[in-house]
Each structure stands twice: as structure tokens, then as C-alpha cells.
Amino acid sequence: MNNLFEEAKKYGDEIVSARRHFHRNPELHVDLQLTADYVMGKLTEYGYKPEQICKSGIVALAGGKKQGRTFLIRGDMDALPIKEETDLEFRSANGNMHACGHDMHTAMMLGAARLLKDHEDEIEGTVKLMFQPGEETLSGAKLMMEAGVLENPSVDKAMMIHVASGFPLKSGAVVFLDRGPVTANVDIFEIKVQGKGGHGATPDTAIDPLNALAHIHIALAEINSREVVAGEVAVLTIGEMHGGNAPNIIPDTAYMKGTIRTYSKEVRTLMNKRLEEISKGIASTFRCTAAVESRGCPCVENDKELFDSAMRYTTEMLGQEYVADMEKMTGKGMKLSGSEDFGFVSAEVPTLMLGLSASVFKDGVAYPQHHPKVVFDESVLPVGAAVYANTAIEWLRENK
Ligand SMILES: [Zn+2]
Ligand SMILES: [Zn+2]
């Protein structure tokens, strides 16, 4: 049997240089001109016919010579509006930063593209490579889906890898988090209360939206403490409250913004429904009106079959010591409270999200993702490239 990890190591320098190019030139949202150009160029050089199906969203196909199913692998490419504070020689100077590690993902996907091309004749079906923009804004996966990324050929299973900094695991360990939901359903909401502005000396002639907003804030705690089944995870955080700009003026409007994190569909629906009912109900009690706007992204769910198969393939390729089975290690698996817009894909096809430990400890500290000082370990890049390609090839072979 081939060992794609051994083969990926040969491409180590090339993968690292791609990663440094992305790291030096971080771009935001779906405006990834430089990044997309580089990816298109490399894929073409490797013999692909890549296609931009939407702004900065790239798809390429490998295999297809033998009949079979379609396996999608996904890497995201966007950075964050963070000013980099590392002392890396290839650090960003444009005010943005690859602080989530998406530069690593894009480079690993290019490494996987090379490996898949080398083994194209053996692929028993098709591997679809999805290079995605706009993950941090929770919009890119959806845009690519609207542009048909899951169709033609239609995708049977899909996987993604996310590098991780700060995990108490050795660098290069592939992390199998849990079966079932592994990231949270995330909703970001805004509650806008409309009152009637007036003079602070004559509140009877005005309708005070600040008073209503304060009561809504307190009342929202009711959902969690009284309405959600005990033991279910339901986080509701208000992170912003704004209204008014002078001590003697009653403002016309006031608003607050917050986020809801859940793991089950039922709890997610309940939280959002009650958020709206409570906001509107309390606003009207205090003679105001409330408008609630919300946008979100569903959780990534790990498909049990793919989870078990991928663990087997990865163990065969890398050896047991580089496979971190969190269920075995913690007795209950591990869920992340963060969001991941691959959840939109997960809602449509069976998926798998793997972690890849890539911490660099300095003075005993590894900074977390989204931190201006976070540094990722580049030596894991060939591992990621090999896991992407190997999981796709092996799953297609076993599921003709
Ligand atoms: Zn991020
Ligand atoms: Zn990320």
C-alpha cells in the first residue's frame, strides 16, 4: 500500500513556501485576489482545470477515470483583521493576519492536490477539492454551495481539517474530536428597541427604550434557567448594549447584540424563538417595539461511519501515536464551542471535521488562534496534506 505521508514529505518545501506566501499576504472575507490567483496558478501547474465558481471560491476535480463516488475535501483561505505581532520573518505587514491558520489549510490542500494528481489513475471515483473564501464571516461555504459546489458530480461525503494551537497534544497529532456535533450552532443577533425620544426632565412625554432594553436583558436569562432541558448546552451572551449619548436626553432607540451557542437543533430553535418573543413582549409592556435580526450557521456534525473509517486510515498511515482519539482520551469526546461555516455543508452531506495539532510553545505558552502572537508549526503541513488525500482515496476505494 502507498504511504502518502512519506510521499508528502518530499513536497514539504513546496508546501511551506506556499504557506509563507499566503501568510505574508493575508486577505479578508471573499476578497482573496492574491490567494485565489496563487491557488489557480498552482493547480493549473499540477495539471488541474480549476474553476472559480464564485468570488474567490475555487473547485478542482481529481480522478474520475474509474467509476465511483465523490469525496470532497475543503480548505478555507481567508484571514482576520488582526495586526500581526509575531517575529516571523514572513509575517504580514498589511494589517491583516492569518491568525486562524487558514494559510496552513490552503497550503495543505495544495499539497493534497499534488498527491492526488500523482495517484490519479488509482482513484476509484472523484475527489473534489474545495478552496473556500469567507469562513470567518460565515458566508463562504454558503456562497460556494449556492454556486453548486456540492453538485456535478454530487458529493457523497466531505471532510475538512482545522489546525489547532494550544491543544495539550504533540504537534502533528490528528485529532478525532467526537462522533456527532463537534462545533456549535452559532447565531448572532441584534435586538433593536424603538421608543420615543424626549427631554430627560419630562420622561412622561417620551417612551424610554433604555428601560425596555434593560428589562429584556434581564429577562433573557429566563430561557436558559427555566426553559432549556437540564444538561443541554445553551449559551446566550450579550456582548454589546448601546443607546443614548447625553445624560439629559431620552434616546429614540437603543440596541443590543449577542450570540447564542447550542449543539442541538431543538434547543437552537427554542432559544431563537423565545429570544424574539421575550424581546417583543417586554418591549411592548414598556410601550416600545422591538425588532430582532439574527444570522447564524449550523453545527458541523461528524458522520460516525466516516469518523471510524478515517481514524483507521490515518492510524495505518501515521501510526497510533499520531492519532488522538478524544473519546478514548477524555471518556466523552470533545466539542468545540466555536463556529465553523463548514456546518452548512454538514447540513447537506455527511461530513468529518478533524483537528491537526500545530502548536509552537514559547516560554511554555502557545498562543490561541485569533491571537496576534499565535504561531503555527509548519512541520505539520505534510501530515495535513497526506490526511486529506489519503482519507479521500481510501474512502472511495472502500465505498465503490
Ligand atoms: Zn477563525
Ligand atoms: Zn478557522
Side-chain angles (χ1 to χ4, degrees):
M1 196 179 127
N2 302 309
N3 188 316
L4 291 196
F5 179 46
E6 291 306 320
E7 295 177 31
K9 286 184 199 164
K10 289 186 299 197
Y11 294 129
D13 289 347
E14 190 173 338
I15 304 173
V16 165
S17 99
R19 186 264 165 156
R20 291 186 179 188
H21 172 80
F22 301 133
H23 196 86
R24 207 178 267 127
N25 301 290
E27 297 174 291
L28 303 181
H29 317 311
V30 294
D31 303 315
L32 314 180
Q33 192 67 50
L34 287 171
T35 310
D37 282 353
Y38 190 97
V39 170
M40 290 291 284
K42 281 286 169 195
L43 290 173
T44 309
E45 183 190 319
Y46 300 159
Y48 287 87
K49 292 191 181 74
E51 227 190 302
Q52 280 208 44
I53 61 167
C54 58
K55 195 173 184 195
S56 309
I58 299 169
V59 174
L61 300 177
K65 293 177 184 169
K66 290 184 179 177
Q67 279 285 328
R69 306 228 240 163
T70 298
F71 193 96
L72 180 145
I73 54 177
R74 176 274 212 166
D76 43 9
M77 307 189 285
D78 57 322
L80 288 155
I82 293 174
K83 195 170 179 302
E84 181 159 356
E85 292 175 24
T86 71
D87 47 18
L88 294 171
E89 169 264 312
F90 52 91
R91 69 182 168 273
S92 153
N94 72 2
N96 302 321
M97 179 185 180
H98 269 295
C100 202
H102 299 182
D103 53 337
M104 303 276 284
H105 305 162
T106 314
M108 287 171 354
M109 283 285 288
L110 286 176
R114 277 217 91 157
L115 294 168
L116 290 164
K117 221 22 164 186
D118 291 346
H119 293 274
E120 190 153 42
D121 295 342
E122 301 155 38
I123 298 173
E124 306 201 39
T126 303
V127 183
K128 190 178 277 195
L129 294 88
M130 173 182 179
F131 292 85
Q132 187 206 301
E135 194 288 320
E136 295 290 355
T137 47
L138 305 181
S139 57
K142 222 174 167 184
L143 286 173
M144 289 193 76
M145 286 167 71
E146 283 161 10
V149 69
L150 298 182
E151 310 305 324
N152 193 24
S154 77
V155 172
D156 294 294
K157 299 245 173 171
M159 77 169 283
M160 59 158 286
I161 299 176
H162 207 303
V163 289
S165 172
F167 265 41
L169 293 168
K170 70 170 133 194
S171 208
V174 179
V175 189
F176 287 79
L177 294 158
D178 207 350
R179 297 173 180 82
V182 280
T183 62
N185 295 303
V186 175
D187 293 288
I188 309 279
F189 61 82
E190 175 177 347
I191 302 165
K192 193 169 176 193
V193 175
Q194 178 72 52
K196 188 176 150 218
H199 199 298
T202 55
D204 56 301
T205 64
I207 300 173
D208 186 356
L210 295 175
N211 182 44
L213 198 70
H215 279 90
I216 293 170
H217 185 276
I218 292 166
L220 289 177
E222 137 90 12
I223 313 175
N224 223 313
S225 68
R226 303 289 80 185
E227 300 185 26
V228 173
V229 177
E232 280 283 358
V233 174
V235 174
L236 191 159
T237 295
I238 305 290
E240 279 186 56
M241 288 180 84
H242 300 276
N245 53 13
N248 58 349
I249 300 171
I250 293 169
D252 210 39
T253 62
Y255 69 90
M256 61 187 168
K257 292 184 183 183
T259 181
I260 293 173
R261 310 276 159 133
T262 52
Y263 291 111
S264 96
K265 222 183 239 168
E266 292 71 29
V267 178
R268 183 185 190 196
T269 306
L270 171 78
M271 297 285 286
N272 280 287
K273 179 170 166 281
R274 293 294 291 140
L275 175 87
E276 183 154 355
E277 288 170 356
I278 289 172
S279 301
K280 290 189 167 165
I282 291 191
S284 94
T285 298
F286 293 95
R287 300 176 295 144
C288 296
T289 54
V292 181
E293 269 179 32
S294 183
R295 65 183 182 88
C297 145
C299 64
V300 175
E301 236 178 295
N302 277 348
D303 175 59
K304 192 178 171 310
E305 182 278 319
L306 184 53
F307 183 94
D308 293 336
S309 307
M311 196 184 305
R312 187 155 44 78
Y313 310 148
T314 307
T315 308
E316 277 168 21
M317 180 173 72
L318 300 177
Q320 191 72 57
E321 53 174 324
Y322 280 97
V323 173
D325 178 353
M326 297 314 285
E327 202 163 304
K328 247 187 211 153
M329 290 167 76
T330 66
K332 59 179 173 58
M334 184 179 182
K335 294 191 197 308
L336 309 171
S337 60
S339 62
E340 170 50 74
D341 87 337
F342 193 62
F344 287 111
V345 177
S346 193
E348 297 295 320
V349 297
T351 53
L352 175 66
M353 173 187 187
L354 296 179
L356 176 59
S357 179
S359 308
V360 173
F361 287 91
K362 203 175 166 192
D363 304 325
V365 182
Y367 289 100
Q369 266 129 301
H370 290 211
H371 191 286
K373 290 189 174 154
V374 66
V375 173
F376 295 96
D377 181 1
E378 289 182 329
S379 75
V380 311
L381 291 168
V383 179
V387 171
Y388 269 131
N390 189 57
T391 308
I393 291 175
E394 292 304 315
W395 188 84
L396 289 170
R397 193 201 308 280
E398 281 190 358
N399 296 277
K400 276 181 263 189

